Amino acid sequence: MFSHLIGNDEVKDSLRRLLATGRTTGSLLFTGEQGVGKKLFALELAKAFNCRNRTVGNNRTKDQSPKSKDQTLDACDECSSCKRIGRSAFAPFGKDDDDKSRLIWSEHMDVAMARPYKNIIRVPVMRELESEANFRPFEGATRVFIIEDADYMNDQAANALLKTLEEPPPTTHLILTTSNPMALLPTIRSRCQVIRFAPIPHEQIEKFLIDKEAMPTADGKLLARTSRGSLGRALATDIESYRERREAMLAVLTALALTGDRTRLLRSAEDLAAAKDRDSYEQQLDVLESLIRDAWSLALGRPKEMLVNSDLLKPLQSIAAELTSKKAMSWLSQIEELRGALEVNLNRRIASDALFVSMAMA
Ligand SMILES: [Zn+2]
């Protein structure tokens, strides 16, 4: 079970144990960065709860070998229930969806999801969940409700959910996912069993991208190393535009470290500020940071295998030759300061100019 999902072997073990003992509490809270597989694991669990070919953990005899134990826990991936739950893509809300404050049902009548619309999960969807959670399963053994990005519930929604969490029927499971557990009400956290997801090692992401996604080796390597442990992020990144952004940021770094070309820096600041939204602006800063870290790592004599941008070895080496730790640290902290300032509404054009000018003086 979970065998086609990469990373988080410890999570796989605890979920298997949970299924084996049959002691699944009503509610689970999956925490971890975006894109590490929380939703996919939740769906896998929903499959296992409802698979028509699976023997429930409790029914096993004690002397079964570990292998057969595993087999009884597996969702078969072949029965109609497994197949339909597996097909649940839960596509993002489209423009024409008429009601965005409702549960989104999978093709299976017992598996549904709630997710934020415009960054809020509102109370009607939690009320719907509350009433649906009280029904016995329609076609499977267990009703499973996934609440994606549960930290986006507003207070009313969270309070409505608390009622369901207090006394979930034994045939209902709630799985909350979040990358920001501290933003949840403590009363919600304390009513769930917390399962922590770790970033996925970049070697595993690389292997997945190259073997399963048939990506060219160089692209897979680069995306895996820039993904910071998130397969979702790697898959969502457009490699061509990523390379363009990186080229632009390498020019900034070269101007800062080698040529001192102020005109170039101000032009780059202008380009940076033209980013279409805050997310893409911050992605540019991510790229700049990763280049600085790489050059710094070379300056410190660390092995080149550790570089994120290992395909840019030559230019990074030239920059590293001129780079002191003091300067690298100062650059990184100036970027971090700007990120903090982005929390308040600030003029990105002015901020970008100021950043590059002050980095040039570091
Ligand atoms: Zn099955």
Side-chain angles (χ1 to χ4, degrees):
M1 153 150 201
F2 306 115
S3 51
H4 61 288
L5 300 179
I6 65 168
N8 283 292
D9 292 337
E10 282 176 22
V11 170
K12 289 177 189 167
D13 287 345
S14 22
L15 294 180
R16 278 193 193 108
R17 271 199 304 277
L18 220 89
L19 284 163
T21 56
R23 278 201 303 265
T24 38
T25 58
S27 310
L28 298 166
L29 173 61
F30 287 2
T31 68
E33 287 297 309
Q34 296 290 357
V36 293
K38 300 186 295 296
K39 186 172 71 182
L40 293 177
F41 275 73
L43 282 173
E44 204 59 25
L45 206 52
K47 269 200 241 166
F49 282 138
N50 285 304
C51 175
R52 293 174 181 177
N53 294 323
R54 178 179 164 260
T55 323
V56 181
N58 298 352
N59 300 344
R60 266 188 300 111
T61 51
K62 275 185 187 146
D63 49 84
Q64 275 177 312
S65 70
K67 188 162 192 304
S68 65
K69 233 189 249 175
D70 253 15
Q71 280 166 347
T72 57
L73 292 177
D74 254 352
C76 73
D77 266 329
E78 279 166 13
C79 69
S80 138
S81 167
C82 281
K83 279 189 175 154
R84 280 178 293 129
I85 296 173
R87 276 203 297 268
S88 313
F90 298 112
F93 292 113
K95 275 202 196 99
D96 304 326
D97 293 340
D98 46 356
D99 196 344
K100 299 170 175 88
S101 283
R102 303 208 57 176
L103 288 173
I104 312 161
W105 288 91
S106 69
E107 291 179 39
H108 191 287
M109 288 164 76
D110 293 312
V111 180
M113 167 185 269
R115 68 146 54 112
Y117 173 63
K118 291 197 173 162
N119 294 334
I120 302 178
I121 300 179
R122 296 170 201 277
V123 72
V125 67
M126 286 302 120
R127 295 231 171 91
E128 186 187 359
L129 191 149
E130 184 188 0
S131 85
E132 290 289 347
N134 284 313
F135 289 122
R136 290 193 52 74
F138 283 114
E139 58 160 310
T142 311
R143 306 211 93 191
V144 180
F145 299 95
I146 301 169
I147 306 175
E148 190 178 38
D149 294 325
D151 51 298
Y152 284 95
M153 279 184 290
N154 63 16
D155 288 352
Q156 278 176 305
N159 283 316
L161 174 69
L162 268 176
K163 280 197 240 161
T164 319
L165 286 176
E166 265 159 23
E167 252 178 297
T171 49
T172 292
H173 288 285
L174 266 55
I175 306 175
L176 285 64
T177 74
T178 178
S179 54
N180 187 10
M182 295 318 282
L184 284 168
L185 290 181
T187 39
I188 288 189
R189 284 201 307 272
S190 65
R191 280 175 176 78
C192 298
Q193 182 174 348
V194 179
I195 307 272
R196 291 185 180 78
F197 283 68
I200 306 168
H202 69 80
E203 296 86 352
Q204 290 185 31
I205 295 184
E206 181 181 320
K207 193 170 182 318
F208 182 91
L209 294 176
I210 296 168
D211 294 354
K212 306 275 186 217
E213 295 288 314
M215 218 174 251
T217 308
D219 294 359
K221 258 189 202 310
L222 180 58
L223 279 183
R225 282 168 182 261
T226 54
S227 65
R228 299 201 303 278
S230 161
L231 178 59
R233 187 178 291 132
L235 290 170
T237 305
D238 175 66
I239 186 81
E240 285 318 314
S241 64
Y242 179 82
R243 284 213 164 91
E244 276 170 30
R245 287 204 296 277
R246 197 173 61 146
E247 206 53 50
M249 289 300 117
L250 183 66
V252 170
L253 197 53
T254 308
L256 285 170
L258 301 177
T259 62
D261 183 346
R262 294 285 174 109
T263 321
R264 168 86 237 187
L265 280 176
L266 289 177
R267 205 180 322 129
S268 299
E270 197 177 337
D271 293 344
L272 172 63
K276 69 176 192 307
D277 51 29
R278 182 174 154 192
D279 268 358
S280 44
Y281 185 81
E282 289 215 54
Q283 281 165 11
Q284 308 251 62
L285 296 179
D286 289 344
V287 177
L288 182 57
E289 276 187 331
S290 90
L291 291 168
I292 295 171
R293 285 182 198 286
D294 276 355
W296 187 13
S297 156
L298 287 171
L300 292 171
R302 300 216 174 107
K304 56 180 193 291
E305 289 71 29
M306 289 171 66
L307 300 183
V308 169
N309 304 282
S310 52
D311 52 328
L312 295 180
L313 184 60
K314 275 231 159 71
L316 286 171
Q317 275 171 333
S318 322
I319 293 164
E322 301 297 324
L323 188 61
T324 60
S325 287
K326 185 165 163 270
K327 203 172 243 188
M329 276 190 281
S330 155
W331 284 348
L332 291 171
S333 69
Q334 289 179 60
I335 296 173
E336 281 314 303
E337 239 169 72
L338 172 59
R339 276 186 206 278
L342 288 173
E343 298 293 332
V344 295
N345 232 348
L346 107 167
N347 181 319
R348 289 204 295 254
R349 180 63 212 275
I350 296 172
S352 312
D353 282 355
L355 174 69
F356 289 169
V357 168
S358 78
M359 284 174 84
M361 291 188 301

